[in-house]
Amino acid sequence: MSENENSQEKNELLDALNSVEEVNVGDVVKGEVLAIDDDKQVIVGIQGTGVEGVVPLKELSTQRVDDVNEAAKVGDVLDLVVISRIGSDKENGSYLLSHRRLEARKVWDDVEKEYEAGHTIKAPVTQVVKGGLVVDAGVRGFIPASMIDDHYVEDLNAYKGQELELKIIEIEPSENRLILSHRAVVEKQREAQREEALKTLQAGDVVEGKVARLTNFGAFVDLGGIDGLVHVSEISYERVEKPADVLKVGQEVTVKILSVDADRERVSLSIKATLPEPWDGIEEKAPQGAVLDGKVKRLTSFGAFVEVFPGVEGLVHISQISHQHIATPNDVLKVGQEIKVKVLDVRPDEKRLALSIKALEEKPQTADDDNESQPERRSNNNRRRNNNRDNRTASERSTANAPEESTGFTLGDLIGDELKNAESNNDEN
Protein backbone atom coordinates (compact mmCIF):
# COMPACT_ATOMS: atom_id res chain seq x y z
CA MET A 1 0.00 0.00 0.00
CA SER A 2 1.40 3.36 -0.95
CA GLU A 3 1.95 6.15 1.49
CA ASN A 4 -0.86 8.15 -0.09
CA GLU A 5 -3.31 5.31 0.32
CA ASN A 6 -2.43 4.88 3.99
CA SER A 7 -2.89 8.55 4.56
CA GLN A 8 -6.31 8.51 2.88
CA GLU A 9 -7.47 5.54 4.95
CA LYS A 10 -6.43 7.23 8.18
CA ASN A 11 -8.29 10.37 7.21
CA GLU A 12 -11.43 8.40 6.49
CA LEU A 13 -11.19 6.64 9.85
CA LEU A 14 -10.72 9.95 11.63
CA ASP A 15 -13.70 11.40 9.79
CA ALA A 16 -15.82 8.41 10.78
CA LEU A 17 -14.77 8.74 14.40
CA ASN A 18 -15.40 12.47 14.39
CA SER A 19 -18.85 11.94 12.87
CA VAL A 20 -19.99 9.78 15.79
CA GLU A 21 -22.39 11.83 17.85
CA GLU A 22 -22.32 11.78 21.60
CA VAL A 23 -25.44 10.32 23.25
CA ASN A 24 -26.99 12.19 26.19
CA VAL A 25 -29.93 11.39 28.43
CA GLY A 26 -33.03 13.11 27.06
CA ASP A 27 -31.88 13.09 23.45
CA VAL A 28 -34.33 12.03 20.77
CA VAL A 29 -32.68 9.50 18.50
CA LYS A 30 -33.47 7.01 15.77
CA GLY A 31 -32.83 3.35 16.44
CA GLU A 32 -32.81 0.50 13.94
CA VAL A 33 -34.14 -2.77 15.31
CA LEU A 34 -31.26 -5.25 15.25
CA ALA A 35 -32.78 -8.10 17.24
CA ILE A 36 -35.61 -9.15 19.55
CA ASP A 37 -34.26 -10.48 22.84
CA ASP A 38 -36.33 -13.27 24.44
CA ASP A 39 -39.56 -11.54 23.38
CA LYS A 40 -39.00 -9.13 26.29
CA GLN A 41 -36.98 -6.31 24.75
CA VAL A 42 -35.72 -4.87 21.47
CA ILE A 43 -32.03 -4.32 20.65
CA VAL A 44 -31.47 -1.27 18.43
CA GLY A 45 -28.51 0.46 16.88
CA ILE A 46 -28.60 4.19 17.56
CA GLN A 47 -28.05 5.81 14.19
CA GLY A 48 -25.08 8.12 13.92
CA THR A 49 -23.52 6.97 17.20
CA GLY A 50 -22.10 3.54 16.69
CA VAL A 51 -23.64 2.33 19.95
CA GLU A 52 -26.58 0.13 20.78
CA GLY A 53 -29.59 0.61 22.97
CA VAL A 54 -32.29 -1.48 24.62
CA VAL A 55 -36.03 -0.84 24.47
CA PRO A 56 -37.92 -2.91 27.12
CA LEU A 57 -41.36 -4.26 26.21
CA LYS A 58 -43.20 -1.80 28.45
CA GLU A 59 -41.38 1.11 26.77
CA LEU A 60 -42.45 0.24 23.23
CA SER A 61 -45.84 1.95 23.24
CA THR A 62 -48.28 3.98 25.29
CA GLN A 63 -50.78 1.20 24.54
CA ARG A 64 -50.58 -2.15 26.29
CA VAL A 65 -48.29 -4.54 24.36
CA ASP A 66 -48.52 -8.27 25.13
CA ASP A 67 -46.35 -9.51 22.23
CA VAL A 68 -43.19 -7.59 21.38
CA ASN A 69 -43.24 -9.01 17.83
CA GLU A 70 -46.48 -7.14 17.17
CA ALA A 71 -44.89 -3.80 18.05
CA ALA A 72 -41.49 -4.11 16.32
CA LYS A 73 -39.66 -6.17 13.71
CA VAL A 74 -36.00 -6.43 12.72
CA GLY A 75 -35.19 -3.61 10.34
CA ASP A 76 -37.79 -1.19 11.73
CA VAL A 77 -36.53 2.30 12.55
CA LEU A 78 -38.04 3.74 15.73
CA ASP A 79 -38.06 7.23 17.16
CA LEU A 80 -36.73 6.92 20.70
CA VAL A 81 -35.77 9.01 23.69
CA VAL A 82 -32.70 8.24 25.78
CA ILE A 83 -33.70 7.43 29.34
CA SER A 84 -30.38 6.42 30.92
CA ARG A 85 -26.94 4.89 30.28
CA ILE A 86 -26.30 1.21 30.88
CA GLY A 87 -22.67 0.42 31.74
CA SER A 88 -19.70 2.81 31.96
CA ASP A 89 -17.52 1.72 29.02
CA LYS A 90 -18.07 4.29 26.27
CA GLU A 91 -17.31 1.94 23.42
CA ASN A 92 -19.16 -1.09 24.73
CA GLY A 93 -21.78 0.61 26.83
CA SER A 94 -25.41 0.91 25.80
CA TYR A 95 -28.46 2.99 26.58
CA LEU A 96 -31.97 2.45 27.90
CA LEU A 97 -34.40 3.86 25.33
CA SER A 98 -38.14 4.41 25.17
CA HIS A 99 -40.60 4.86 22.35
CA ARG A 100 -43.53 5.11 24.80
CA ARG A 101 -42.17 8.16 26.56
CA LEU A 102 -41.49 9.90 23.29
CA GLU A 103 -45.10 9.26 22.26
CA ALA A 104 -46.25 10.55 25.66
CA ARG A 105 -44.13 13.68 25.23
CA LYS A 106 -45.90 14.40 21.95
CA VAL A 107 -49.27 13.72 23.60
CA TRP A 108 -48.46 16.13 26.41
CA ASP A 109 -47.59 18.77 23.81
CA ASP A 110 -50.92 18.18 22.05
CA VAL A 111 -52.88 18.22 25.31
CA GLU A 112 -51.20 21.46 26.34
CA LYS A 113 -52.22 23.03 23.05
CA GLU A 114 -55.85 21.93 23.61
CA TYR A 115 -55.73 23.32 27.15
CA GLU A 116 -54.41 26.68 26.02
CA ALA A 117 -57.07 26.87 23.32
CA GLY A 118 -59.85 26.04 25.82
CA HIS A 119 -60.82 22.89 23.94
CA THR A 120 -62.13 19.63 25.41
CA ILE A 121 -60.67 16.18 24.76
CA LYS A 122 -62.21 12.70 24.62
CA ALA A 123 -60.82 9.68 26.42
CA PRO A 124 -62.06 6.23 27.51
CA VAL A 125 -62.31 5.29 31.19
CA THR A 126 -59.82 2.49 31.83
CA GLN A 127 -59.90 2.11 35.59
CA VAL A 128 -61.96 2.86 38.68
CA VAL A 129 -59.81 3.86 41.65
CA LYS A 130 -60.40 5.27 45.08
CA GLY A 131 -61.64 8.80 44.66
CA GLY A 132 -62.30 8.82 40.94
CA LEU A 133 -61.67 7.49 37.43
CA VAL A 134 -58.53 6.92 35.36
CA VAL A 135 -58.72 7.65 31.62
CA ASP A 136 -56.37 7.04 28.71
CA ALA A 137 -55.80 10.31 26.91
CA GLY A 138 -52.58 9.06 25.33
CA VAL A 139 -51.23 9.76 28.79
CA ARG A 140 -52.79 8.90 32.11
CA GLY A 141 -55.53 11.29 33.15
CA PHE A 142 -57.53 11.42 36.39
CA ILE A 143 -61.12 12.52 37.01
CA PRO A 144 -61.88 13.18 40.71
CA ALA A 145 -65.24 11.77 41.88
CA SER A 146 -66.58 15.29 42.43
CA MET A 147 -65.89 16.12 38.78
CA ILE A 148 -67.50 13.06 37.20
CA ASP A 149 -71.06 14.34 36.83
CA ASP A 150 -73.40 17.12 37.94
CA HIS A 151 -74.96 14.84 40.57
CA TYR A 152 -73.72 12.36 43.14
CA VAL A 153 -72.60 9.08 41.55
CA GLU A 154 -72.94 6.06 43.81
CA ASP A 155 -71.38 3.42 41.55
CA LEU A 156 -68.34 4.62 39.60
CA ASN A 157 -68.07 1.28 37.81
CA ALA A 158 -70.95 2.37 35.59
CA TYR A 159 -68.47 4.63 33.74
CA LYS A 160 -65.82 1.98 33.07
CA GLY A 161 -65.26 1.57 29.34
CA GLN A 162 -67.21 4.73 28.45
CA GLU A 163 -65.60 7.42 26.33
CA LEU A 164 -66.15 10.77 28.00
CA GLU A 165 -65.78 14.32 26.79
CA LEU A 166 -63.54 16.10 29.26
CA LYS A 167 -62.39 19.58 30.18
CA ILE A 168 -58.74 19.97 31.13
CA ILE A 169 -58.57 21.40 34.64
CA GLU A 170 -54.87 21.03 35.43
CA ILE A 171 -51.84 19.89 33.39
CA GLU A 172 -48.26 19.36 34.55
CA PRO A 173 -46.22 17.18 32.12
CA SER A 174 -43.10 17.13 34.29
CA GLU A 175 -45.10 15.45 37.03
CA ASN A 176 -47.27 13.41 34.67
CA ARG A 177 -50.31 15.12 36.17
CA LEU A 178 -53.46 15.59 34.13
CA ILE A 179 -56.66 16.47 36.01
CA LEU A 180 -59.87 16.35 33.99
CA SER A 181 -63.57 17.11 34.52
CA HIS A 182 -66.61 15.57 32.88
CA ARG A 183 -68.93 17.54 35.14
CA ALA A 184 -67.87 20.86 33.58
CA VAL A 185 -68.83 19.52 30.14
CA VAL A 186 -72.18 18.18 31.38
CA GLU A 187 -73.03 21.46 33.09
CA LYS A 188 -72.25 23.46 29.97
CA GLN A 189 -74.39 21.13 27.86
CA ARG A 190 -77.25 21.26 30.34
CA GLU A 191 -77.10 25.05 30.45
CA ALA A 192 -77.66 25.17 26.69
CA GLN A 193 -80.40 22.54 26.96
CA ARG A 194 -82.00 24.45 29.86
CA GLU A 195 -82.24 27.64 27.83
CA GLU A 196 -83.77 25.73 24.92
CA ALA A 197 -86.21 23.87 27.19
CA LEU A 198 -87.47 27.06 28.82
CA LYS A 199 -88.22 28.43 25.35
CA THR A 200 -90.11 25.37 24.13
CA LEU A 201 -91.90 23.91 27.18
CA GLN A 202 -95.46 25.18 27.66
CA ALA A 203 -98.14 24.64 30.30
CA GLY A 204 -100.47 21.87 29.26
CA ASP A 205 -97.84 19.90 27.32
CA VAL A 206 -97.52 16.19 28.09
CA VAL A 207 -93.88 15.08 27.86
CA GLU A 208 -91.59 12.22 28.82
CA GLY A 209 -88.96 12.54 31.53
CA LYS A 210 -86.71 10.61 33.87
CA VAL A 211 -86.75 10.78 37.67
CA ALA A 212 -83.52 12.53 38.66
CA ARG A 213 -83.94 13.02 42.42
CA LEU A 214 -86.40 12.16 45.18
CA THR A 215 -87.16 14.29 48.23
CA ASN A 216 -89.78 14.13 50.98
CA PHE A 217 -91.86 16.79 49.23
CA GLY A 218 -91.71 15.50 45.66
CA ALA A 219 -89.75 14.19 42.70
CA PHE A 220 -87.47 16.11 40.33
CA VAL A 221 -87.87 14.92 36.76
CA ASP A 222 -85.23 15.54 34.08
CA LEU A 223 -86.94 16.90 30.97
CA GLY A 224 -83.73 17.02 28.96
CA GLY A 225 -81.86 20.07 30.15
CA ILE A 226 -84.03 21.19 33.04
CA ASP A 227 -85.52 19.47 36.06
CA GLY A 228 -89.19 19.95 36.84
CA LEU A 229 -90.83 19.28 40.21
CA VAL A 230 -93.68 16.85 40.70
CA HIS A 231 -95.08 17.74 44.12
CA VAL A 232 -96.00 14.75 46.27
CA SER A 233 -99.67 15.68 45.87
CA GLU A 234 -99.33 15.44 42.07
CA ILE A 235 -97.78 11.97 41.93
CA SER A 236 -100.94 9.89 42.18
CA TYR A 237 -104.64 10.05 42.91
CA GLU A 238 -103.84 7.75 45.80
CA ARG A 239 -102.42 9.37 48.90
CA VAL A 240 -98.60 9.19 48.78
CA GLU A 241 -96.67 9.60 52.02
CA LYS A 242 -93.17 9.54 50.49
CA PRO A 243 -92.28 9.79 46.79
CA ALA A 244 -89.70 7.01 47.28
CA ASP A 245 -92.57 4.63 48.06
CA VAL A 246 -93.83 4.77 44.46
CA LEU A 247 -90.94 6.16 42.33
CA LYS A 248 -87.29 5.29 41.69
CA VAL A 249 -84.38 7.38 40.45
CA GLY A 250 -83.90 6.71 36.74
CA GLN A 251 -87.53 5.69 36.21
CA GLU A 252 -89.14 6.90 32.97
CA VAL A 253 -92.36 8.83 33.61
CA THR A 254 -95.00 10.72 31.64
CA VAL A 255 -95.79 14.16 33.06
CA LYS A 256 -98.04 17.08 32.30
CA ILE A 257 -96.58 20.58 32.55
CA LEU A 258 -98.62 22.66 34.99
CA SER A 259 -96.59 25.89 34.77
CA VAL A 260 -93.28 27.30 33.50
CA ASP A 261 -91.50 30.17 35.27
CA ALA A 262 -88.66 31.10 32.91
CA ASP A 263 -87.32 33.88 35.15
CA ARG A 264 -86.91 31.56 38.12
CA GLU A 265 -86.18 28.53 35.91
CA ARG A 266 -88.91 26.51 37.58
CA VAL A 267 -91.22 23.99 35.98
CA SER A 268 -94.15 22.45 37.85
CA LEU A 269 -95.25 18.99 36.73
CA SER A 270 -97.94 16.42 37.42
CA ILE A 271 -97.95 12.68 36.93
CA LYS A 272 -101.51 12.09 38.10
CA ALA A 273 -102.85 14.59 35.52
CA THR A 274 -101.80 12.07 32.86
CA LEU A 275 -103.67 9.21 34.55
CA PRO A 276 -107.36 8.27 34.05
CA GLU A 277 -109.76 10.24 36.28
CA PRO A 278 -110.61 7.79 39.11
CA TRP A 279 -114.19 9.03 39.45
CA ASP A 280 -115.01 8.32 35.80
CA GLY A 281 -117.69 5.60 35.60
CA ILE A 282 -118.04 5.50 39.38
CA GLU A 283 -121.80 4.80 39.11
CA GLU A 284 -120.99 1.56 37.30
CA LYS A 285 -118.08 0.66 39.56
CA ALA A 286 -119.85 1.52 42.81
CA PRO A 287 -123.64 1.47 42.31
CA GLN A 288 -125.97 2.04 45.24
CA GLY A 289 -126.20 -1.14 47.29
CA ALA A 290 -122.86 -2.53 46.12
CA VAL A 291 -120.53 -4.11 48.67
CA LEU A 292 -116.88 -3.05 48.21
CA ASP A 293 -113.50 -3.72 49.77
CA GLY A 294 -111.88 -0.60 51.17
CA LYS A 295 -109.08 0.73 53.31
CA VAL A 296 -109.44 3.34 56.03
CA LYS A 297 -107.43 6.38 54.96
CA ARG A 298 -108.43 9.07 57.44
CA LEU A 299 -110.39 9.35 60.65
CA THR A 300 -112.23 12.49 61.75
CA SER A 301 -114.61 13.33 64.56
CA PHE A 302 -117.62 12.82 62.27
CA GLY A 303 -116.60 9.66 60.44
CA ALA A 304 -114.05 7.69 58.43
CA PHE A 305 -112.82 8.21 54.88
CA VAL A 306 -112.42 4.87 53.14
CA GLU A 307 -110.65 4.34 49.81
CA VAL A 308 -112.60 1.89 47.66
CA PHE A 309 -110.70 2.50 44.38
CA PRO A 310 -107.35 4.24 43.74
CA GLY A 311 -108.11 7.93 44.19
CA VAL A 312 -111.74 7.33 45.23
CA GLU A 313 -112.63 7.84 48.87
CA GLY A 314 -116.06 7.63 50.43
CA LEU A 315 -117.32 8.74 53.82
CA VAL A 316 -118.62 6.37 56.45
CA HIS A 317 -120.51 8.72 58.75
CA ILE A 318 -120.05 8.00 62.44
CA SER A 319 -123.72 6.93 62.58
CA GLN A 320 -122.99 4.28 59.92
CA ILE A 321 -119.98 2.71 61.61
CA SER A 322 -121.68 0.57 64.25
CA HIS A 323 -125.08 -0.33 65.65
CA GLN A 324 -123.65 0.51 69.06
CA HIS A 325 -123.12 4.07 70.14
CA ILE A 326 -119.48 5.19 69.72
CA ALA A 327 -117.88 8.42 70.87
CA THR A 328 -115.40 8.71 67.99
CA PRO A 329 -114.48 6.57 64.93
CA ASN A 330 -111.10 5.89 66.58
CA ASP A 331 -112.94 3.68 69.08
CA VAL A 332 -113.46 0.96 66.48
CA LEU A 333 -111.35 1.82 63.40
CA LYS A 334 -107.67 2.35 62.58
CA VAL A 335 -105.98 4.06 59.65
CA GLY A 336 -104.86 1.39 57.17
CA GLN A 337 -107.49 -1.10 58.33
CA GLU A 338 -109.10 -3.08 55.52
CA ILE A 339 -112.87 -3.34 55.73
CA LYS A 340 -115.99 -4.02 53.68
CA VAL A 341 -118.51 -1.25 53.08
CA LYS A 342 -121.91 -0.90 51.47
CA VAL A 343 -122.66 1.97 49.09
CA LEU A 344 -125.56 4.07 50.36
CA ASP A 345 -125.41 6.94 47.90
CA VAL A 346 -123.37 7.92 44.81
CA ARG A 347 -122.95 11.52 43.61
CA PRO A 348 -120.47 11.59 40.70
CA ASP A 349 -120.80 15.32 40.02
CA GLU A 350 -119.88 16.14 43.61
CA LYS A 351 -117.38 13.28 43.84
CA ARG A 352 -119.13 12.02 46.95
CA LEU A 353 -119.71 8.49 48.06
CA ALA A 354 -121.77 7.65 51.16
CA LEU A 355 -120.79 4.32 52.68
CA SER A 356 -121.88 2.15 55.58
CA ILE A 357 -120.19 -0.50 57.67
CA LYS A 358 -123.07 -1.32 59.98
CA ALA A 359 -125.37 -2.06 57.02
CA LEU A 360 -123.33 -5.24 56.53
CA GLU A 361 -123.50 -6.26 60.19
CA GLU A 362 -126.30 -8.07 61.97
CA LYS A 363 -128.15 -5.97 64.49
CA PRO A 364 -127.64 -6.97 68.11
CA GLN A 365 -130.67 -8.64 69.77
CA THR A 366 -131.22 -5.82 72.29
CA ALA A 367 -131.34 -3.32 69.50
CA ASP A 368 -133.88 -5.42 67.63
CA ASP A 369 -136.12 -5.69 70.67
CA ASP A 370 -136.05 -1.99 71.30
CA ASN A 371 -136.75 -1.24 67.66
CA GLU A 372 -139.70 -3.63 67.60
CA SER A 373 -141.26 -2.39 70.88
CA GLN A 374 -141.48 1.17 69.67
CA PRO A 375 -143.91 0.45 66.79
CA GLU A 376 -145.99 -1.84 69.06
CA ARG A 377 -146.46 0.88 71.65
CA ARG A 378 -147.33 3.37 68.96
CA SER A 379 -149.86 0.87 67.51
CA ASN A 380 -151.52 0.24 70.93
CA ASN A 381 -151.84 3.95 71.59
CA ASN A 382 -153.41 4.45 68.19
CA ARG A 383 -155.92 1.63 68.84
CA ARG A 384 -156.89 3.16 72.21
CA ARG A 385 -157.40 6.55 70.63
CA ASN A 386 -159.52 4.98 67.89
CA ASN A 387 -161.64 3.11 70.45
CA ASN A 388 -162.33 6.30 72.40
CA ARG A 389 -163.45 8.00 69.25
CA ASP A 390 -165.70 5.06 68.39
CA ASN A 391 -167.38 5.23 71.84
CA ARG A 392 -168.70 8.69 71.10
CA THR A 393 -172.30 8.97 69.85
CA ALA A 394 -172.92 9.48 66.20
CA SER A 395 -174.30 12.98 66.89
CA GLU A 396 -171.13 13.88 68.85
CA ARG A 397 -168.92 12.68 66.02
CA SER A 398 -171.07 14.54 63.55
CA THR A 399 -171.02 17.75 65.57
CA ALA A 400 -167.30 17.59 66.21
CA ASN A 401 -166.51 16.97 62.55
CA ALA A 402 -168.98 19.42 61.06
CA PRO A 403 -167.93 22.92 60.11
CA GLU A 404 -169.19 25.81 62.17
CA GLU A 405 -171.41 27.06 59.36
CA SER A 406 -173.35 23.79 59.09
CA THR A 407 -174.17 23.40 62.79
CA GLY A 408 -175.29 26.97 63.49
CA PHE A 409 -173.23 26.96 66.70
CA THR A 410 -169.86 28.25 67.44
CA LEU A 411 -167.35 26.27 69.43
CA GLY A 412 -167.86 28.63 72.37
CA ASP A 413 -171.59 28.00 72.30
CA LEU A 414 -171.08 24.26 72.44
CA ILE A 415 -168.69 24.51 75.35
CA GLY A 416 -171.09 26.86 77.19
CA ASP A 417 -174.00 24.44 76.85
CA GLU A 418 -171.87 21.59 78.19
CA LEU A 419 -170.95 23.65 81.23
CA LYS A 420 -174.64 24.53 81.94
CA ASN A 421 -175.69 20.89 81.76
CA ALA A 422 -172.96 19.93 84.17
CA GLU A 423 -174.04 22.61 86.72
CA SER A 424 -177.77 21.57 86.47
CA ASN A 425 -176.98 17.97 87.22
CA ASN A 426 -175.01 19.02 90.30
CA ASP A 427 -177.89 21.10 91.67
CA GLU A 428 -180.35 18.18 91.35
CA ASN A 429 -178.03 15.96 93.25
Side-chain angles (χ1 to χ4, degrees), residues 69-138:
N69 294 284
E70 293 179 356
K73 293 180 174 59
V74 173
D76 288 350
V77 177
L78 306 177
D79 288 324
L80 304 164
V81 63
V82 180
I83 298 175
S84 63
R85 182 180 178 84
I86 303 173
S88 58
D89 183 11
K90 182 175 181 181
E91 286 75 14
N92 298 319
S94 64
Y95 294 86
L96 181 64
L97 308 170
S98 173
H99 180 64
R100 177 184 68 83
R101 300 190 192 190
L102 187 60
E103 283 185 331
R105 182 183 294 180
K106 293 177 180 179
V107 172
W108 280 112
D109 290 340
D110 292 340
V111 172
E112 277 192 298
K113 290 176 183 178
E114 297 295 338
Y115 174 66
E116 291 170 359
H119 296 163
T120 60
I121 62 173
K122 290 185 177 181
V125 177
T126 58
Q127 193 178 0
V128 176
V129 296
K130 183 177 180 181
L133 303 174
V134 174
V135 300
D136 181 7

Side-chain angles (χ1 to χ4, degrees), residues 339-371:
I339 58 174
K340 287 188 177 295
V341 291
K342 184 175 183 179
V343 179
L344 300 182
D345 188 27
V346 186
R347 300 183 185 180
D349 295 339
E350 302 175 29
K351 293 185 178 180
R352 290 188 179 182
L353 203 58
L355 308 172
S356 175
I357 298 174
K358 79 174 187 180
L360 299 176
E361 299 175 350
E362 186 177 350
K363 296 180 181 179
Q365 188 63 39
T366 54
D368 290 345
D369 293 342
D370 291 341
N371 291 337

Side-chain angles (χ1 to χ4, degrees), residues 243-310:
D245 293 338
V246 294
L247 295 173
K248 293 181 179 179
V249 172
Q251 181 178 341
E252 299 282 348
V253 291
T254 301
V255 294
K256 183 176 182 179
I257 300 174
L258 301 181
S259 65
V260 179
D261 187 339
D263 293 335
R264 301 171 69 185
E265 296 189 351
R266 291 186 179 180
V267 181
S268 297
L269 307 171
S270 174
I271 294 176
K272 78 176 185 181
T274 67
L275 304 175
E277 167 60 51
W279 284 86
D280 288 347
I282 192 63
E283 287 180 297
E284 288 75 29
K285 294 189 292 185
Q288 187 175 0
V291 177
L292 306 173
D293 291 318
K295 180 181 287 188
V296 177
K297 288 293 185 177
R298 289 175 290 148
L299 295 173
T300 67
S301 60
F302 55 84
F305 286 92
V306 178
E307 185 179 62
V308 290
F309 297 106

Side-chain angles (χ1 to χ4, degrees), residues 201-411:
L201 295 176
Q202 294 183 351
D205 289 350
V206 176
V207 296
E208 300 296 320
K210 182 182 291 187
V211 177
R213 288 176 290 141
L214 294 172
T215 67
N216 290 332
F217 57 83
F220 286 93
V221 176
D222 182 0
L223 301 178
I226 190 168
D227 289 349
L229 174 64
V230 180
H231 190 267
V232 65
S233 63
E234 290 294 333
I235 292 176
S236 173
Y237 284 107
E238 297 182 66
R239 186 178 180 85
V240 176
E241 295 295 336
K242 291 192 302 181
D245 293 338
V246 294
L247 295 173
K248 293 181 179 179
V249 172
Q251 181 178 341
E252 299 282 348
V253 291
T254 301
V255 294
K256 183 176 182 179
I257 300 174
L258 301 181
S259 65
V260 179
D261 187 339
D263 293 335
R264 301 171 69 185
E265 296 189 351
R266 291 186 179 180
V267 181
S268 297
L269 307 171
S270 174
I271 294 176
K272 78 176 185 181
T274 67
L275 304 175
E277 167 60 51
W279 284 86
D280 288 347
I282 192 63
E283 287 180 297
E284 288 75 29
K285 294 189 292 185
Q288 187 175 0
V291 177
L292 306 173
D293 291 318
K295 180 181 287 188
V296 177
K297 288 293 185 177
R298 289 175 290 148
L299 295 173
T300 67
S301 60
F302 55 84
F305 286 92
V306 178
E307 185 179 62
V308 290
F309 297 106
V312 177
E313 292 183 5
L315 173 65
V316 180
H317 190 267
I318 189 170
S319 64
Q320 291 296 326
I321 293 178
S322 174
H323 290 288
Q324 305 293 334
H325 173 73
I326 59 174
T328 67
N330 290 283
D331 293 343
V332 293
L333 296 174
K334 294 181 179 180
V335 172
Q337 182 178 345
E338 295 184 355
I339 58 174
K340 287 188 177 295
V341 291
K342 184 175 183 179
V343 179
L344 300 182
D345 188 27
V346 186
R347 300 183 185 180
D349 295 339
E350 302 175 29
K351 293 185 178 180
R352 290 188 179 182
L353 203 58
L355 308 172
S356 175
I357 298 174
K358 79 174 187 180
L360 299 176
E361 299 175 350
E362 186 177 350
K363 296 180 181 179
Q365 188 63 39
T366 54
D368 290 345
D369 293 342
D370 291 341
N371 291 337
E372 290 175 1
S373 63
Q374 294 293 336
E376 288 179 2
R377 284 196 292 270
R378 286 195 295 269
S379 178
N380 292 335
N381 290 336
N382 290 337
R383 281 197 295 272
R384 282 195 292 271
R385 283 195 294 271
N386 291 336
N387 289 337
N388 290 336
R389 284 196 292 269
D390 291 341
N391 290 334
R392 292 181 297 171
T393 63
S395 60
E396 288 174 335
R397 291 197 300 274
S398 175
T399 302
N401 294 331
E404 293 180 352
E405 291 79 0
S406 63
T407 60
F409 296 94
T410 66
L411 184 58

